[in-house]
Amino acid sequence: MSDQPVGYKLTERQRLDWLRLSRTEGVGPRTFRTLINRYGGASEALEALPTLLTRNGRIGRVTTLAEAEDEMATGARYGVRFVAMGEPDYPRYLRMIDSAPPVLCIRGVSPVFERPGVAIVGSRNASASGLKMAEHLAEGLGRQHCVVISGLARGIDARAHRGSLQTGTVAVLAGGQDRLYPAEHAELLDAILETGAVVSEMPMGWEARGRDFPRRNRIISGLSIGVIVVEAAMRSGSLITARFAAEQGRDVFAVPGSPLDPRSEGTNDLIREGATLIGSVEHVMAALAPVLGRDDWPPQAQESHLDQGEEPLWDELELDERGFEDAPTTLALRPKRNPVALGGDDDGTYADTNELTPKELLTQLLGPSPVSINDLVRLTGRSVSLVQTVLLELELEGLIERHGGGLISIMPLEGTLVLNSAP
Amino acid sequence: MSDQPVGYKLTERQRLDWLRLSRTEGVGPRTFRTLINRYGGASEALEALPTLLTRNGRIGRVTTLAEAEDEMATGARYGVRFVAMGEPDYPRYLRMIDSAPPVLCIRGVSPVFERPGVAIVGSRNASASGLKMAEHLAEGLGRQHCVVISGLARGIDARAHRGSLQTGTVAVLAGGQDRLYPAEHAELLDAILETGAVVSEMPMGWEARGRDFPRRNRIISGLSIGVIVVEAAMRSGSLITARFAAEQGRDVFAVPGSPLDPRSEGTNDLIREGATLIGSVEHVMAALAPVLGRDDWPPQAQESHLDQGEEPLWDELELDERGFEDAPTTLALRPKRNPVALGGDDDGTYADTNELTPKELLTQLLGPSPVSINDLVRLTGRSVSLVQTVLLELELEGLIERHGGGLISIMPLEGTLVLNSAP
């Protein structure tokens, strides 16, 4: 999607189709991209979806045109613009991340996204010095023409927004644009809108729930060239934002504190893991200097191993086409019928595979232990796009399971696995 | 000196000679080593000194045997042992540093030096949490069979000693063993002596003055495999200890703090410069694990660039034989008479130098801009030891000046430099 020209603006009908597709249950950012790539457009993907879904109950019904129109009408009343990835108004840093939202709901002043964003995040129950630090950094970054990005939470987030109200700040919501959390920040939100922006990828009317917050955090880091964690306990959401930032190739900064204060455990740990210790805006700007003004920045994101061993952030097919590099090279093969003849060379390449359809071959190669698409491509000798397409079919049939790092395994079923070899 | 067998014990007469030589004005650790290396022993060096000094007023008179006997008698009343470098009782980590004291005055329990030392240093006006941290780390390191090294100062130092009284701690004094500073720590010093030790390189009766403290700090780090700085303002003595530690190849640890607290500026800066952020004994032990139990540790120290641009810590000839690597490669040559014929190759080597004595040649090569001994060796084509010996003669004649980093220049004199070509 990031190949789409920056200046390309959707028609209203295309925008509605993008919204419909992105709002369809089971279609997250990666599935969206896969479908668009496969069918050439949102409209075509929407047409194909019902036939793709007949064999599989895992994906809910497709969002209707009327529902999408309703959401856009509701949004309009709140001053929300629905901006598709690749459109000129879509924030340029966010577009580079692996899981960029297909459609972003934006309120406020769009040009704010043309300036470099720096996120300031931290504890809700911050210390006085943490709050002071957040405000001080936000003010200073504003003076340096940066836009402060944060999550509108109590504590550090709110203070970071307040410190940069004059120069411009962006709040990223975990719920819909009409569902403010926490409610006490209504006035702060209004102030933010005057010079900055409020964004969300969630539908109008959506109440934020548990996993929406870490999911939201990838947008906070994605909008930023660097993320500053001011105070953070162990296992706090701010550390998730920091991890996203690192995986997205963004700088991670942490404000240290006394090891005797649990609110500094997370930031001190980040520093031990390689984050840059900062105590002033000068420290931040010195670290960002090589990045600011570079055309080839931000780098293409690598979020591949993000979900490994964790609850996924989306109910989606996880049809990601990237992240194969990180996959293990060991393979657990489980030939089931018509054992495949190995080629003459010793590298394990299956050379003589003409008697099987690609789908049969892939099904045969897959086992309960996750393997990488890279390895499947190598072992089948077929093209990446063919393997991807077959895997999409297998997935829509509920026969395979996606794991983090681009790994795939056979879906564990009770009893013997019976393959459905129909098209 | 570190080649001397660890088990070699001096006779009482040798010990007196070592003390006499080391107490002679103008003889610091490096001059001491040069003289011993040149003359084969302290007794021989003492014999040679008066003839070496006749032409030069820069070195004071040689300490007499009676004076050395007096000092040892005074020391004995305080329970002080005078341990020469290379003797079995000499702390093994300290022996490895470039500027190890030739004679160390030790009171207390000698076996304490057989366990790994970890220094804990920091501000005199420490915060409550800094003091708590120091005590906590000292207790924990003691439980890990480490000996806590510090400087008996108020604040962090004293708290570190107190936290490790049960397991053993070593205080390093900047003055003589009979001149306690601060005086209020007399009781603490007595407690330290019961399970640990108190050391000093200064003569009995010596009142510590300004530069004695940084000079002392190299012994604190030299006795340690790692140095922890708990709280330190910018430009504080603890940072000097940390720098010594880094130059001696020892680990440097720093406890972070809020950037809003000036007492943490120094430690946060150390972390930014590469020191390991620590918040617990576990952090320290994890970092030290690869070092503990290694026979080839500690590494030979590299203090070569320590004094660059600063007041030297000793009034000595600075006859160091190391540190040539760091010298600049540019040369300011000032041929004065009989221009030296350059060799055929283009690397600037003076090949045809037979018509000049080594001393004349070196004098000719030296100018007002400092050059390295390395370059002098290369340009003369003579051995390092010959160049060193001639430079020692030139220095004792007051004709050359030593700079940091092993650099040497002609001593600036009024009017024209008249060479004394006598032997």
Side-chain angles (χ1 to χ4, degrees), chain A residues 55-75:
Chain A
R55 299 187 179 282
N56 187 296
R58 287 170 62 221
I59 301 184
R61 65 177 192 80
V62 176
T63 299
T64 66
L65 181 62
E67 287 166 336
E69 285 172 336
D70 270 1
E71 187 184 342
M72 285 186 66
T74 309

Side-chain angles (χ1 to χ4, degrees), chain B residues 63-121:
Chain B
T63 299
T64 64
L65 180 63
E67 286 165 337
E69 283 172 337
D70 268 2
E71 187 184 343
M72 285 185 66
T74 309
R77 287 201 303 275
Y78 282 84
V80 172
R81 302 185 299 284
F82 296 79
V83 182
M85 183 164 64
E87 288 199 296
D89 275 4
Y90 198 93
R92 62 188 180 117
Y93 298 127
L94 183 62
R95 196 176 52 233
M96 307 303 289
I97 75 169
D98 201 29
S99 58
V103 177
L104 193 66
C105 307
I106 304 180
R107 270 194 291 175
V109 184
S110 261
V112 83
F113 296 110
E114 288 165 19
R115 283 147 57 199
V118 177
I120 301 179
V121 297

Side-chain angles (χ1 to χ4, degrees), chain A residues 129-130 132-133 255-260 267-269 271-272 276-280 283, chain B residues 129-130 132-133 255-260 268-269 271-272 276-280 283 286:
Chain A
S129 72
K132 187 174 168 188
M133 199 71 207
V255 177
S258 165
L260 299 174
T267 51
N268 288 348
D269 242 48
I271 295 165
R272 285 176 57 80
T276 302
L277 183 156
I278 62 126
S280 68
H283 289 159
Chain B
S129 73
K132 189 175 167 186
M133 199 71 207
V255 176
S258 166
L260 299 174
N268 288 348
D269 243 48
I271 294 164
R272 286 176 56 81
T276 302
L277 184 156
I278 62 127
S280 67
H283 288 159

Side-chain angles (χ1 to χ4, degrees), chain A residues 257-262 264-265 268 272, chain B residues 118-123 126-143 148 155-164 228-232 253-258 261 263-264 267 271 276-285:
Chain A
S258 165
L260 299 174
D261 187 343
S264 296
E265 276 181 38
N268 288 348
R272 285 176 57 80
Chain B
V118 177
I120 301 179
V121 297
S123 306
S127 73
S129 73
L131 292 172
K132 189 175 167 186
M133 199 71 207
E135 187 158 17
H136 170 76
L137 291 170
E139 282 172 3
L141 288 168
R143 278 195 297 273
V148 172
I156 298 293
D157 285 22
R159 195 60 69 100
H161 287 305
R162 288 189 204 283
S164 50
I228 302 171
V229 185
V230 175
E231 272 185 350
F253 306 105
V255 176
S258 166
D261 186 344
R263 284 171 297 205
S264 296
T267 52
I271 294 164
T276 302
L277 184 156
I278 62 127
S280 67
V281 172
E282 290 67 34
H283 288 159
V284 179
M285 296 314 290

Side-chain angles (χ1 to χ4, degrees), chain A residues 1 10 14-22 32 42 84 102:
Chain A
M1 300 307 299
L10 299 186
Q14 283 176 318
R15 191 181 313 281
L16 279 166
D17 287 341
W18 272 60
L19 191 61
R20 284 182 66 197
L21 187 58
S22 72
F32 188 97

Side-chain angles (χ1 to χ4, degrees), chain B residues 365-382:
Chain B
L365 289 172
L366 285 164
S369 295
V371 297
S372 74
I373 297 181
N374 251 6
D375 284 325
L376 293 175
V377 168
R378 186 171 62 78
L379 289 164
T380 58
R382 305 304 173 91

